């Protein structure tokens, strides 16, 4: 069981995660740190003089990238980043944390009409490993779940039944005395998820203390 999950996690991290967003979408655009983001602005850039601006202070000094009729003109926004290509679609091959933020796009059609759009980009580090461990303290076992990436929710199941779900709260869970079976922790954010299952046994607890007074 654990081997299968291990392989699944390995495959997930090895694969390139790709997210597609569009400047006319009304919800936030999530992108995975270190992975690819395609941001559609216009289908045919050759008809537009377009500007993509990262809103920082809302002044003239905010970094901007201008693409006129499919050719990059001034681009201090993605300056020196060879992994970024831009015409009608902005393609970032390896997203960095600093790509998070609020962007504005201004499109001026060759016919003269101007349109604009706003988009919030949120970068999250994908979850590539989850680790579950147990400990016993005065007869009660606790299970602890940890992961890399930017975890947002932890969900627990015991023998397939949901134990607890929620936002960030439950990365430790107390089990009832005598609980055994397979406990599984799954961790999610907007760009990925990971899971690990382990088997738990009841804590040795009082029984052991009574049985071995000489040693304990
Ligand atoms: C993103 O868009 C490209 C091009 O249209 C498509 O090939 C790809 O499957 C899309 N990826 C996702 C995750 O939707
Ligand atoms: C945009 O750039 C990509 C990659 O360089 C290229 O394949 C595509 O044809 C370009 N599209 C336009 C509309 O210029
Ligand atoms: C980008 O390159 C220019 C010229 O090579 C350099 O002056 C500038 O500091 C670089 N910017 C960044 C952010 O590395």
């Amino acid at each position: 069981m654990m081997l299968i999950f291990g392989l699944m996690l390995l495959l997930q991290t090895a694969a390139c995660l790709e997210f597609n967003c569009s400047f006319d979408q009304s919800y936030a655009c999530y992108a995975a740190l270190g992975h690819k983001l395609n941001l559609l602005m216009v289908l045919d850039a050759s008809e537009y003089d377009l500007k993509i601006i990262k809103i920082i202070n809302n002044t003239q000094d905010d970094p901007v990238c201008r693409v006129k009729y499919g050719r990059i003109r001034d681009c201090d926004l993605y300056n020196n980043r060879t992994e970024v290509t831009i015409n009608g679609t902005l393609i970032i091959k390896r997203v960095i944390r600093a790509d998070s933020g609020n962007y504005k796009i201004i499109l001026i059609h060759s016919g003269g009409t101007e349109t604009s759009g706003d988009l919030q980009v949120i970068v999250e580090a994908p979850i590539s490993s989850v680790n579950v461990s147990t400990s016993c303290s005065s007869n009660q076992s606790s299970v602890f779940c940890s992961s890399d990436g930017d975890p947002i929710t932890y969900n627990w199941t015991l023998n397939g039944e949901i134990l607890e779900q929620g936002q960030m709260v439950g990365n430790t869970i107390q089990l009832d005395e005598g609980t055994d079976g397979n406990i599984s922790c799954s961790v999610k954010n907007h760009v990925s998820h990971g899971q690990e299952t382990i088997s738990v046994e009841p804590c040795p607890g009082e029984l052991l203390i009574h049985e071995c007074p000489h040693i304990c």
Side-chain angles (χ1 to χ4, degrees), residues 112-129:
T113 51
E114 183 176 322
T115 48
S116 67
D118 296 287
L119 185 69
Q120 184 186 13
V121 175
I122 300 172
V123 175
E124 288 179 358
I127 288 148
S128 57
S129 73

Side-chain angles (χ1 to χ4, degrees), residues 18-20 38:
E18 180 185 44
F19 288 84
N20 288 341
N38 302 314

Side-chain angles (χ1 to χ4, degrees), residues 136-177:
C136 283
S137 160
S138 59
N139 221 11
Q140 200 179 35
S141 63
S142 316
V143 194
F144 179 70
C145 182
S146 63
S147 76
D148 64 352
D150 294 327
I152 290 180
T153 60
Y154 289 92
N155 291 338
W156 292 97
T157 60
L158 175 65
N159 299 321
E161 306 269 330
I162 293 168
L163 279 182
E164 201 173 280
Q165 335 183 240
Q167 288 251 332
M168 276 306 278
V169 278
N171 75 332
T172 302
I173 197 163
Q174 306 283 327
L175 298 179
D176 293 339
E177 221 171 283

Side-chain angles (χ1 to χ4, degrees), residues 42 76 83 142 194:
V42 278
D76 55 355
E83 79 279 18
S142 316

